[in-house]
Amino acid sequence: MIDIQYNNDSHYGIHDPAVRATLAAYSSLLFLSSVIGDLLILVGSIKYHAIKLHPIIVTFIQYLALMDIAVAITRFLPGAVSLITESWVFGHVFCYVTYSVVVSSGGTAVLLISAICLAKLLIVRFPFRAALVPVYFAHIASLFFFLVSSTGIVVEIVTNSKLVTFSYIDYNCDYNSINGHFSRSSITCNILVGLIGFTATTVTAVSSGLLLRTVRNISARGGEIKWQGVMTVLLTAAVYLVATLPGTVYFMGSHFVLGSAALHKFWHVDLYRVAVYTVYLNMVSNFYIYTLTLTSFREFLRFRVGQGLVECFSRNYPGTGASDGERRRLLP
C-alpha cells in the first residue's frame, strides 16, 4: 500500500491557520472563476460566436478553456479542500489522476498560448494566406500538443507511480523527488516538461514582440489593424509571462542554491509555493482579458447572460423584477 500521506508536514506544511484559510479561499475563488469563466467562453464562442477573431485562434481559445477547466477541477478544488483538512482525502487513484491531468493539461495550455501568439503574428503578416488555412489544422495542432504533454507523464506514472505523493508544499499531489531518487523515466519526464515550458515561453515572448513591432509598422504606413484581436493576444502573452516568472526564477536557480538550511527552505518551499500559486493566475485570466478587449464578448455577457439572469430572477421573485416595459427598454 502506498502511503500518499507523505510525512512532511513538520518541514513543509503551513502551520498558520490564517495563511491556510487565505490560500483555501484563494484556491476556491480561482476554481469558481475558472470554471464559470471558461464555460462562458466555450458557450459564447461555440453557440453565439461571441469571440470574433480568426477561426484558428478561436479554436485554440476553446481548447485552452477546456484545459483550464481540467486544471481547475483537478488542482484548485482538491488544493482548497486539502488546505482546510490539512490532508489528502480523495484517495490513491485520484492522487495519480490529478497529477497526470495537471501536467498534461497544463503543458497543453502553455503550448496553446504560444500557438495563439504565433498564429496571430502569421495572420497579421500574411492575411491572405491565413484565410486559406483550414480550421481543422488548429484541431490537429491542439491534439498534438496534448499528446506531447501527456507522453512523459504517462510513462512516469506507469513506471514510478509510488513517487507520486501528497505534498504539504502546495497541498496537492506531486512528484516526490525530495529523497533524491530520480529514475531514468523521471529524468526523461522532467526534460520533456522543461522543453515544453522553454519552448512555449520563448515562442510566446518572441511572437508577441514581433507582433507588436509588425502592427506598429503597419499602422505607421497607414494600414488597417484590428486592434481588439492584437490586444487580446498581447495581454494573454503578458499575463502568461508575468505569471510564470517566479517559476522560471525558481527552476533556473534551483541547482545553484546551496548553503544554509534557511536558504534551502526559502528557495524550495517558500519560493516554490509562490511560483505555484502565481502561475494559477494564468488559468483564470482569459475570461477577464476577453471581457476587457473584445466588444463582441462583452455584448454576449450583457445581452445573453445578463438577460438570462434578469429573466430568471424575475421569474423567481416577480415582485422585485423590472416591469415588462422597463425590460424591453433596457434589454434588446
Side-chain angles (χ1 to χ4, degrees), residues 126-181:
F126 310 103
F128 298 108
R129 294 182 183 179
L132 302 176
V133 179
V135 178
Y136 71 79
F137 174 80
H139 293 285
I140 295 175
S142 300
L143 178 60
F144 174 75
F145 294 157
F146 183 77
L147 291 176
V148 169
S149 301
S150 303
T151 300
I153 192 60
V154 168
V155 174
E156 181 60 24
I157 290 295
V158 171
T159 57
N160 291 290
S161 60
K162 293 183 178 181
L163 296 179
V164 177
T165 62
F166 175 70
S167 172
Y168 281 95
I169 298 179
D170 58 354
Y171 284 78
N172 259 301
C173 287
D174 208 342
Y175 183 82
N176 171 31
S177 59
I178 297 174
N179 57 8
H181 174 76

Side-chain angles (χ1 to χ4, degrees), residues 257-273:
V257 175
L258 302 172
S260 66
L263 178 61
H264 187 275
K265 181 179 183 300
F266 165 76
W267 196 270
H268 292 288
V269 179
D270 298 331
L271 181 58
Y272 178 77
R273 188 174 287 147

Side-chain angles (χ1 to χ4, degrees), residues 40-50 62 300 304:
L40 287 173
I41 290 172
L42 289 172
V43 172
S45 62
I46 295 173
K47 184 175 181 180
Y48 298 103
H49 306 286
Q62 292 167 352
F300 158 72
R304 294 291 184 178

